[in-house]
Amino acid sequence: MTDLLNTILYKNHKVCSFWGIPTYLHYTSKWALFAICSLVFVSTLFAAGPLVAIISSAIILSVILVAWSFVIMHEYGHAAMALRFGYPCKDITMYPIGGALQLEVTPYDYPWAELLITAAGPFVNVVFIPIFYLLVLLSQSIGADLLTVIFKSLLQINLAIALFNAVPLFPMDGGRIVRAILGLCGYN
């Protein structure tokens, strides 16, 4: 029983795999998800009743899972470019505040490769922004208010992921891009 409990509570769980690269949900992400949904449930339970609490928790859970799916696509953007350059990818791990692609060999000695591999992740999110913007305009033009809200949310999630990753601090993508540019300029 203890082994089962430890497996459930403290083991990373595989959520998907593409191109032979597994994606794992880090156990701290499960705890964060549980804590956020519990907090939303309890706070709305006393304010608005059980039905609203369940619906609110389900909405929050859905938004988090959708955001994580865009982060996973972001990480697979890095992976696609790494594979294009011939760098084997070990796995992707999803943490409470983002994902991390583990390369078996890092491209520090090849600044162009590092620059393009790093930029590929945010590029995935940037590609989604005009798509969702057009869908917002389309849904507004036909008066589909619920779709407009959903598409605006998806646009904002991708914008937030792209901007968050653009911060020029290591280990964020922005910091890695700065390191690659410095490498291209001859700085080690």
Side-chain angles (χ1 to χ4, degrees):
M1 181 67 176
T2 313
D3 291 338
L4 176 63
L5 190 59
N6 283 336
T7 299
I8 292 170
L9 298 178
Y10 301 110
K11 184 178 180 221
N12 297 348
H13 288 280
K14 186 176 177 179
V15 292
C16 66
S17 182
F18 296 104
W19 305 318
I21 306 165
T23 300
Y24 296 97
L25 183 65
H26 193 262
Y27 74 91
T28 56
S29 298
K30 295 183 290 186
W31 283 103
L33 191 60
F34 176 76
I36 291 167
C37 288
S38 297
L39 181 63
V40 168
F41 180 81
V42 170
S43 64
T44 54
L45 177 65
F46 297 112
L51 182 61
V52 173
I54 291 169
I55 292 170
S56 298
S57 296
I59 289 169
I60 290 297
L61 177 63
S62 299
V63 168
I64 291 170
L65 293 177
V66 167
W68 271 347
S69 71
F70 284 114
V71 173
I72 289 172
M73 286 185 265
H74 171 107
E75 294 303 324
Y76 275 102
H78 292 305
M81 189 61 72
L83 292 172
R84 178 94 170 118
F85 277 100
Y87 291 100
C89 303
K90 183 178 175 190
D91 63 23
I92 294 171
T93 303
M94 295 299 298
Y95 296 96
I97 61 164
L101 169 68
Q102 295 294 316
L103 297 175
E104 292 186 18
V105 178
T106 53
Y108 303 135
D109 295 336
Y110 303 99
W112 272 113
E114 183 178 18
L115 178 65
L116 294 175
I117 291 168
T118 303
F123 180 75
V124 169
N125 300 106
V126 169
V127 166
F128 280 115
I129 292 169
I131 293 169
F132 287 123
Y133 182 72
L134 291 173
L135 290 171
V136 165
L137 295 177
L138 179 64
S139 61
Q140 284 176 334
S141 70
I142 61 172
D145 295 336
L146 180 59
L147 282 177
T148 301
V149 169
I150 291 170
F151 292 140
K152 274 186 182 177
S153 298
L154 296 174
L155 184 149
Q156 291 168 344
I157 287 169
N158 278 284
L159 183 61
I161 293 169
L163 291 176
F164 180 71
N165 277 280
V167 173
L169 297 173
F170 196 79
M172 305 299 296
D173 291 340
R176 292 180 187 274
I177 288 171
V178 168
R179 179 175 66 189
I181 290 170
L182 290 173
L184 288 170
C185 294
Y187 296 99
N188 289 332

